[in-house]
Amino acid sequence: MVERSKKPVPIPVSPTRAENQGFISESDRVKLSLPTGESVEILLHGATVISWVVGGQEKLFLSEKAALDRSKPVRGGIPLVFPVFGKSTEGPTAALPQHGFARLCKWELLGRTSETDTSIQVDFGLGPENLSADLREQWPYVFGLIYSVNLSKSSLETKMLVRNEGSKTFDFNVLFHTYLRVPDVNNLTIEGLKGTSYKCKVTKSEAVEEAAELPVDSEVDRVYANVPGTVQVKNGGEAIFKVDRTNLEDVVVWNPWKGASKMADFGPEDGYKNMICIEAGAVSKWHTLEPESVWEGSTIINL
Ligand code: BG6
Protein backbone atom coordinates (compact mmCIF):
# COMPACT_ATOMS: atom_id res chain seq x y z
CA MET A 1 0.00 0.00 0.00
CA VAL A 2 1.46 3.37 -0.98
CA GLU A 3 1.49 5.71 2.00
CA ARG A 4 2.01 9.14 0.60
CA SER A 5 1.00 12.41 2.10
CA LYS A 6 0.20 13.84 -1.32
CA LYS A 7 -1.22 10.69 -2.82
CA PRO A 8 -3.59 11.70 -5.64
CA VAL A 9 -7.28 11.34 -4.97
CA PRO A 10 -9.01 9.00 -7.42
CA ILE A 11 -12.09 10.35 -9.17
CA PRO A 12 -15.29 8.50 -8.29
CA VAL A 13 -16.84 6.81 -11.29
CA SER A 14 -19.54 9.00 -12.78
CA PRO A 15 -22.12 6.99 -14.73
CA THR A 16 -22.46 9.61 -17.49
CA ARG A 17 -18.72 9.90 -17.95
CA ALA A 18 -18.27 6.15 -17.72
CA GLU A 19 -20.56 5.80 -20.72
CA ASN A 20 -18.38 8.12 -22.76
CA GLN A 21 -14.91 7.47 -21.54
CA GLY A 22 -13.20 4.23 -20.89
CA PHE A 23 -11.33 3.28 -17.77
CA ILE A 24 -10.88 -0.45 -17.50
CA SER A 25 -8.82 -1.89 -14.69
CA GLU A 26 -7.81 -5.55 -15.01
CA SER A 27 -5.61 -7.61 -12.71
CA ASP A 28 -2.41 -6.82 -14.59
CA ARG A 29 -3.21 -3.72 -16.66
CA VAL A 30 -5.24 -0.57 -17.14
CA LYS A 31 -6.87 0.58 -20.36
CA LEU A 32 -7.95 4.14 -21.01
CA SER A 33 -9.91 5.39 -23.98
CA LEU A 34 -11.60 8.55 -25.18
CA PRO A 35 -14.99 8.75 -26.89
CA THR A 36 -13.16 9.74 -30.08
CA GLY A 37 -11.39 6.36 -30.14
CA GLU A 38 -7.90 7.14 -28.83
CA SER A 39 -6.62 4.62 -26.29
CA VAL A 40 -3.69 3.67 -24.13
CA GLU A 41 -2.84 0.45 -22.31
CA ILE A 42 -0.53 0.25 -19.31
CA LEU A 43 0.79 -2.84 -17.53
CA LEU A 44 1.17 -2.71 -13.76
CA HIS A 45 4.50 -4.46 -14.41
CA GLY A 46 6.86 -1.51 -14.61
CA ALA A 47 3.84 0.78 -15.14
CA THR A 48 4.82 0.20 -18.75
CA VAL A 49 2.67 1.83 -21.40
CA ILE A 50 2.48 -0.87 -24.09
CA SER A 51 0.04 0.68 -26.54
CA TRP A 52 -1.10 4.12 -27.67
CA VAL A 53 -3.61 4.14 -30.49
CA VAL A 54 -4.75 7.26 -32.34
CA GLY A 55 -6.90 7.21 -35.47
CA GLY A 56 -6.78 3.42 -35.42
CA GLN A 57 -2.98 3.46 -35.67
CA GLU A 58 -0.53 2.18 -33.06
CA LYS A 59 1.98 4.90 -32.19
CA LEU A 60 4.37 2.82 -30.04
CA PHE A 61 6.63 -0.04 -31.03
CA LEU A 62 6.24 -3.20 -28.97
CA SER A 63 8.47 -6.14 -29.79
CA GLU A 64 6.47 -9.21 -30.75
CA LYS A 65 8.81 -11.16 -28.45
CA ALA A 66 8.45 -8.76 -25.50
CA ALA A 67 7.99 -10.58 -22.20
CA LEU A 68 4.70 -9.40 -20.70
CA ASP A 69 4.77 -11.98 -17.90
CA ARG A 70 6.88 -9.92 -15.47
CA SER A 71 9.97 -12.06 -16.13
CA LYS A 72 11.95 -9.10 -17.54
CA PRO A 73 11.47 -5.46 -18.56
CA VAL A 74 9.15 -4.96 -21.51
CA ARG A 75 10.94 -4.51 -24.85
CA GLY A 76 8.91 -1.69 -26.28
CA GLY A 77 6.27 0.82 -25.28
CA ILE A 78 7.48 3.16 -22.54
CA PRO A 79 9.60 1.39 -19.91
CA LEU A 80 10.53 3.62 -16.95
CA VAL A 81 14.14 4.17 -15.98
CA PHE A 82 14.82 4.95 -12.28
CA PRO A 83 16.98 5.49 -10.22
CA VAL A 84 19.89 4.90 -12.62
CA PHE A 85 20.27 5.22 -16.37
CA GLY A 86 22.44 2.43 -17.78
CA LYS A 87 24.66 0.43 -15.45
CA SER A 88 26.64 2.12 -12.68
CA THR A 89 29.97 0.67 -11.73
CA GLU A 90 30.32 2.71 -8.57
CA GLY A 91 28.26 4.61 -6.03
CA PRO A 92 24.93 3.76 -4.39
CA THR A 93 23.32 2.43 -7.59
CA ALA A 94 26.20 0.08 -8.51
CA ALA A 95 24.36 -3.01 -7.27
CA LEU A 96 21.22 -2.25 -9.28
CA PRO A 97 20.43 -3.80 -12.65
CA GLN A 98 20.77 -1.80 -15.89
CA HIS A 99 18.28 1.12 -15.93
CA GLY A 100 17.31 0.53 -12.29
CA PHE A 101 14.25 -1.16 -10.83
CA ALA A 102 11.22 0.93 -11.86
CA ARG A 103 10.66 -1.10 -15.04
CA LEU A 104 10.95 -4.40 -13.12
CA CYS A 105 8.49 -3.85 -10.29
CA LYS A 106 4.76 -4.18 -10.02
CA TRP A 107 3.35 -0.68 -9.47
CA GLU A 108 0.28 0.13 -7.47
CA LEU A 109 -2.68 1.57 -9.34
CA LEU A 110 -3.65 4.80 -7.58
CA GLY A 111 -6.62 5.38 -9.87
CA ARG A 112 -8.02 7.73 -12.43
CA THR A 113 -7.16 11.18 -11.16
CA SER A 114 -8.20 13.63 -13.83
CA GLU A 115 -10.78 13.64 -16.55
CA THR A 116 -12.26 16.11 -19.01
CA ASP A 117 -14.23 15.52 -22.18
CA THR A 118 -11.02 15.29 -24.16
CA SER A 119 -8.49 13.78 -21.76
CA ILE A 120 -8.12 11.18 -19.07
CA GLN A 121 -5.32 10.52 -16.58
CA VAL A 122 -4.31 7.57 -14.46
CA ASP A 123 -1.69 7.50 -11.68
CA PHE A 124 0.55 4.73 -10.38
CA GLY A 125 2.68 4.60 -7.24
CA LEU A 126 5.90 2.86 -6.28
CA GLY A 127 7.74 2.85 -2.97
CA PRO A 128 10.18 0.59 -1.09
CA GLU A 129 7.23 -1.57 0.01
CA ASN A 130 6.77 -2.61 -3.65
CA LEU A 131 10.41 -3.72 -4.04
CA SER A 132 11.88 -7.15 -3.38
CA ALA A 133 14.04 -7.48 -0.26
CA ASP A 134 17.12 -7.70 -2.52
CA LEU A 135 16.34 -4.44 -4.29
CA ARG A 136 15.58 -2.69 -0.99
CA GLU A 137 18.97 -3.77 0.25
CA GLN A 138 20.69 -2.71 -2.97
CA TRP A 139 19.16 0.79 -2.84
CA PRO A 140 18.22 1.43 0.78
CA TYR A 141 16.37 4.74 0.44
CA VAL A 142 12.83 5.66 1.40
CA PHE A 143 11.26 7.12 -1.70
CA GLY A 144 7.85 7.60 -3.26
CA LEU A 145 7.22 7.73 -6.99
CA ILE A 146 3.99 8.84 -8.57
CA TYR A 147 3.75 8.21 -12.30
CA SER A 148 0.93 9.82 -14.29
CA VAL A 149 -0.17 8.95 -17.81
CA ASN A 150 -2.46 11.47 -19.47
CA LEU A 151 -4.19 10.61 -22.74
CA SER A 152 -5.54 13.42 -24.93
CA LYS A 153 -6.89 13.35 -28.47
CA SER A 154 -3.55 13.92 -30.15
CA SER A 155 -0.99 13.66 -27.36
CA LEU A 156 0.30 11.46 -24.61
CA GLU A 157 1.84 13.01 -21.50
CA THR A 158 3.86 11.09 -18.93
CA LYS A 159 4.91 12.67 -15.65
CA MET A 160 7.08 11.42 -12.79
CA LEU A 161 7.08 12.79 -9.28
CA VAL A 162 9.93 11.66 -7.03
CA ARG A 163 9.72 12.28 -3.31
CA ASN A 164 12.37 11.64 -0.68
CA GLU A 165 10.37 10.25 2.23
CA GLY A 166 13.35 9.16 4.29
CA SER A 167 16.11 10.77 6.30
CA LYS A 168 18.96 10.17 3.82
CA THR A 169 19.64 12.29 0.72
CA PHE A 170 19.75 10.28 -2.52
CA ASP A 171 20.82 10.83 -6.14
CA PHE A 172 18.80 9.61 -9.07
CA ASN A 173 18.33 9.56 -12.84
CA VAL A 174 14.94 9.25 -14.45
CA LEU A 175 13.99 8.59 -18.07
CA PHE A 176 11.00 7.63 -20.20
CA HIS A 177 12.42 4.98 -22.56
CA THR A 178 9.88 5.62 -25.31
CA TYR A 179 9.85 3.32 -28.36
CA LEU A 180 8.07 5.28 -31.11
CA ARG A 181 6.60 3.29 -33.98
CA VAL A 182 7.64 4.67 -37.38
CA PRO A 183 6.76 3.62 -40.94
CA ASP A 184 10.40 3.27 -42.08
CA VAL A 185 13.44 4.36 -40.10
CA ASN A 186 15.28 5.03 -43.39
CA ASN A 187 12.89 7.90 -44.15
CA LEU A 188 13.35 9.56 -40.75
CA THR A 189 15.06 12.70 -39.69
CA ILE A 190 15.31 13.90 -36.12
CA GLU A 191 15.29 17.64 -35.60
CA GLY A 192 15.94 19.87 -32.60
CA LEU A 193 19.34 18.49 -31.56
CA LYS A 194 21.69 20.74 -33.55
CA GLY A 195 24.26 22.47 -31.35
CA THR A 196 23.71 20.05 -28.45
CA SER A 197 26.60 18.09 -26.89
CA TYR A 198 26.23 14.36 -26.86
CA LYS A 199 27.96 11.19 -25.77
CA CYS A 200 27.91 8.45 -28.38
CA LYS A 201 27.83 5.01 -26.76
CA VAL A 202 28.49 3.28 -30.10
CA THR A 203 31.82 5.02 -30.84
CA LYS A 204 32.50 5.90 -27.18
CA SER A 205 33.11 9.52 -28.14
CA GLU A 206 31.73 12.97 -27.42
CA ALA A 207 30.75 15.63 -29.94
CA VAL A 208 28.39 18.49 -30.66
CA GLU A 209 25.53 17.68 -33.00
CA GLU A 210 25.99 19.35 -36.36
CA ALA A 211 22.95 17.99 -38.16
CA ALA A 212 19.80 20.08 -38.23
CA GLU A 213 18.11 17.04 -39.76
CA LEU A 214 19.67 13.91 -38.27
CA PRO A 215 19.11 10.79 -40.38
CA VAL A 216 18.98 7.34 -38.79
CA ASP A 217 20.87 5.00 -41.11
CA SER A 218 22.85 2.81 -38.71
CA GLU A 219 22.99 1.90 -35.02
CA VAL A 220 22.52 5.00 -32.89
CA ASP A 221 22.90 5.32 -29.10
CA ARG A 222 23.47 8.91 -28.09
CA VAL A 223 22.86 10.82 -24.89
CA TYR A 224 22.17 14.48 -25.73
CA ALA A 225 22.61 16.75 -22.72
CA ASN A 226 20.60 19.92 -22.11
CA VAL A 227 18.51 19.83 -25.26
CA PRO A 228 16.93 23.27 -25.53
CA GLY A 229 13.50 22.71 -27.11
CA THR A 230 11.17 20.42 -29.01
CA VAL A 231 12.57 17.31 -30.64
CA GLN A 232 10.73 16.38 -33.80
CA VAL A 233 10.66 13.05 -35.60
CA LYS A 234 9.94 13.59 -39.29
CA ASN A 235 8.97 10.98 -41.85
CA GLY A 236 9.83 12.11 -45.36
CA GLY A 237 9.98 15.69 -44.07
CA GLU A 238 6.62 15.58 -42.29
CA ALA A 239 6.58 15.80 -38.50
CA ILE A 240 5.01 12.65 -37.03
CA PHE A 241 6.04 13.14 -33.38
CA LYS A 242 6.89 16.32 -31.49
CA VAL A 243 8.44 15.67 -28.09
CA ASP A 244 8.40 18.44 -25.47
CA ARG A 245 9.85 18.19 -21.98
CA THR A 246 9.51 19.93 -18.64
CA ASN A 247 12.39 19.58 -16.18
CA LEU A 248 13.85 16.74 -18.25
CA GLU A 249 16.94 18.27 -19.76
CA ASP A 250 18.30 15.33 -21.74
CA VAL A 251 17.25 13.22 -24.71
CA VAL A 252 18.56 9.77 -25.60
CA VAL A 253 18.26 8.60 -29.20
CA TRP A 254 18.53 4.84 -29.64
CA ASN A 255 18.06 2.33 -32.41
CA PRO A 256 19.94 -1.00 -32.13
CA TRP A 257 19.83 -1.54 -35.93
CA LYS A 258 20.96 -5.07 -36.87
CA GLY A 259 22.22 -5.57 -33.30
CA ALA A 260 18.54 -6.10 -32.48
CA SER A 261 18.95 -9.70 -33.65
CA LYS A 262 21.18 -10.33 -30.61
CA MET A 263 18.35 -9.44 -28.23
CA ALA A 264 16.33 -12.50 -27.30
CA ASP A 265 13.19 -10.42 -26.74
CA PHE A 266 13.36 -8.34 -29.93
CA GLY A 267 11.14 -9.24 -32.84
CA PRO A 268 10.63 -9.33 -35.70
CA GLU A 269 14.33 -9.35 -36.57
CA ASP A 270 13.94 -6.36 -38.88
CA GLY A 271 11.62 -4.58 -36.40
CA TYR A 272 14.35 -1.99 -35.82
CA LYS A 273 13.18 -0.47 -39.12
CA ASN A 274 9.87 0.43 -37.50
CA MET A 275 11.09 2.06 -34.30
CA ILE A 276 13.10 4.91 -32.91
CA CYS A 277 13.58 5.51 -29.22
CA ILE A 278 13.37 9.19 -28.30
CA GLU A 279 13.89 9.07 -24.54
CA ALA A 280 13.24 12.18 -22.49
CA GLY A 281 15.14 12.10 -19.23
CA ALA A 282 17.37 13.58 -16.58
CA VAL A 283 20.42 11.36 -17.04
CA SER A 284 23.52 13.34 -17.98
CA LYS A 285 24.07 14.16 -14.31
CA TRP A 286 22.69 12.98 -10.98
CA HIS A 287 19.79 14.80 -9.44
CA THR A 288 20.07 15.10 -5.70
CA LEU A 289 16.99 14.92 -3.52
CA GLU A 290 17.15 15.86 0.13
CA PRO A 291 14.77 14.50 2.77
CA GLU A 292 11.19 15.73 2.33
CA SER A 293 12.03 17.20 -1.08
CA VAL A 294 10.11 16.53 -4.26
CA TRP A 295 11.20 16.54 -7.90
CA GLU A 296 8.89 16.42 -10.89
CA GLY A 297 9.53 16.02 -14.62
CA SER A 298 7.27 15.34 -17.58
CA THR A 299 7.20 14.86 -21.31
CA ILE A 300 4.45 15.24 -23.85
CA ILE A 301 4.42 13.60 -27.25
CA ASN A 302 2.27 15.53 -29.69
CA LEU A 303 1.27 14.11 -33.03
C1 BG6 B 1 19.13 2.93 -24.14
C2 BG6 B 1 20.60 2.94 -23.88
O1 BG6 B 1 18.51 3.93 -23.40
O2 BG6 B 1 18.59 1.68 -23.76
C3 BG6 B 1 21.24 1.80 -24.66
O3 BG6 B 1 21.18 4.18 -24.26
C4 BG6 B 1 20.59 0.48 -24.29
O4 BG6 B 1 22.64 1.76 -24.39
C5 BG6 B 1 19.09 0.61 -24.53
O5 BG6 B 1 21.14 -0.55 -25.09
C6 BG6 B 1 18.30 -0.65 -24.20
O6 BG6 B 1 18.57 -1.07 -22.91
P1 BG6 B 1 17.93 -2.39 -22.36
O7 BG6 B 1 18.46 -2.59 -20.98
O8 BG6 B 1 16.44 -2.20 -22.37
O9 BG6 B 1 18.33 -3.50 -23.31
Side-chain angles (χ1 to χ4, degrees), residues 264-293:
D265 61 351
F266 195 100
E269 203 171 315
D270 63 355
Y272 69 88
K273 293 179 181 164
N274 297 115
M275 59 148 281
I276 184 75
C277 282
I278 302 289
E279 311 165 22
V283 296
S284 62
K285 62 176 173 32
W286 292 108
H287 282 254
T288 300
L289 206 56
E290 291 180 356
E292 294 178 35
S293 300

Side-chain angles (χ1 to χ4, degrees), residues 61-64 179-183 185 255-257 260-261 266-276:
F61 174 85
L62 178 67
S63 162
E64 63 184 26
Y179 289 72
L180 299 173
R181 173 167 279 281
V182 298
V185 76
N255 183 302
W257 214 253
S261 62
F266 195 100
E269 203 171 315
D270 63 355
Y272 69 88
K273 293 179 181 164
N274 297 115
M275 59 148 281
I276 184 75

Side-chain angles (χ1 to χ4, degrees), residues 182-190 215-216 234-238 273:
V182 298
D184 181 354
V185 76
N186 292 296
N187 287 337
L188 289 191
T189 49
I190 302 170
V216 185
K234 292 192 174 176
N235 179 50
E238 184 199 343
K273 293 179 181 164

Side-chain angles (χ1 to χ4, degrees), residues 7-302:
K7 186 170 162 176
V9 181
I11 294 175
V13 176
S14 125
T16 40
R17 278 275 160 71
E19 277 168 24
N20 296 333
Q21 300 202 346
F23 175 80
I24 301 171
S25 170
E26 296 175 357
S27 58
D28 67 339
R29 66 191 68 200
V30 173
K31 296 175 186 168
L32 307 178
S33 59
L34 295 175
T36 35
E38 299 78 14
S39 65
V40 71
E41 188 168 341
I42 309 141
L43 295 180
L44 296 185
H45 173 53
T48 315
V49 176
I50 54 165
S51 168
W52 173 31
V53 175
V54 178
Q57 283 187 332
E58 178 58 62
K59 297 294 174 190
L60 299 177
F61 174 85
L62 178 67
S63 162
E64 63 184 26
K65 293 188 187 165
L68 304 182
D69 61 356
R70 303 182 57 192
S71 59
K72 54 166 82 169
V74 177
R75 175 73 61 206
I78 313 182
L80 299 173
V81 170
F82 177 90
V84 58
F85 172 67
K87 183 78 190 84
S88 268
T89 49
E90 56 186 27
T93 56
L96 292 176
Q98 154 119 332
H99 293 336
F101 51 70
R103 63 179 185 166
L104 296 167
C105 296
K106 184 176 180 193
W107 287 58
E108 189 180 332
L109 173 63
L110 301 178
R112 179 176 47 161
T113 51
S114 151
E115 174 182 345
T116 67
D117 288 340
T118 53
S119 74
I120 183 165
Q121 176 172 307
V122 63
D123 289 359
F124 302 87
L126 190 81
E129 65 278 14
N130 307 110
L131 267 50
S132 66
D134 280 355
L135 286 171
R136 276 205 302 272
E137 201 173 301
Q138 287 164 5
W139 203 71
Y141 298 98
V142 186
F143 67 96
L145 301 184
I146 294 178
Y147 176 51
S148 307
V149 178
N150 190 302
L151 173 71
S152 299
K153 284 169 83 166
S154 60
S155 65
L156 185 68
E157 184 179 23
T158 50
K159 183 165 68 184
M160 187 71 83
L161 184 145
V162 184
R163 181 189 295 273
N164 186 340
E165 297 177 356
S167 55
K168 284 186 282 181
T169 298
F170 60 75
D171 291 339
F172 69 95
N173 296 146
V174 68
L175 172 129
F176 301 109
H177 198 307
T178 307
Y179 289 72
L180 299 173
R181 173 167 279 281
V182 298
D184 181 354
V185 76
N186 292 296
N187 287 337
L188 289 191
T189 49
I190 302 170
E191 301 189 17
L193 299 168
K194 189 177 176 198
T196 305
S197 304
Y198 66 88
K199 284 188 181 165
C200 175
K201 293 203 207 170
V202 179
T203 56
K204 306 208 174 3
S205 59
E206 295 185 26
V208 173
E209 185 57 63
E210 290 175 2
E213 300 174 358
L214 181 72
V216 185
D217 48 17
S218 58
E219 181 184 4
V220 58
D221 190 357
R222 295 182 179 180
V223 182
Y224 289 87
N226 301 311
V227 178
T230 306
V231 174
Q232 297 198 54
V233 176
K234 292 192 174 176
N235 179 50
E238 184 199 343
I240 52 172
F241 296 105
K242 287 164 260 171
V243 181
D244 283 300
R245 297 154 292 116
T246 303
N247 219 13
L248 294 170
E249 56 273 21
D250 309 320
V251 174
V252 178
V253 178
W254 181 63
N255 183 302
W257 214 253
K258 293 191 178 163
S261 62
K262 294 189 204 120
M263 294 178 209
D265 61 351
F266 195 100
E269 203 171 315
D270 63 355
Y272 69 88
K273 293 179 181 164
N274 297 115
M275 59 148 281
I276 184 75
C277 282
I278 302 289
E279 311 165 22
V283 296
S284 62
K285 62 176 173 32
W286 292 108
H287 282 254
T288 300
L289 206 56
E290 291 180 356
E292 294 178 35
S293 300
V294 173
W295 175 96
E296 194 173 300
S298 63
T299 182
I300 183 159
I301 309 168
N302 288 294

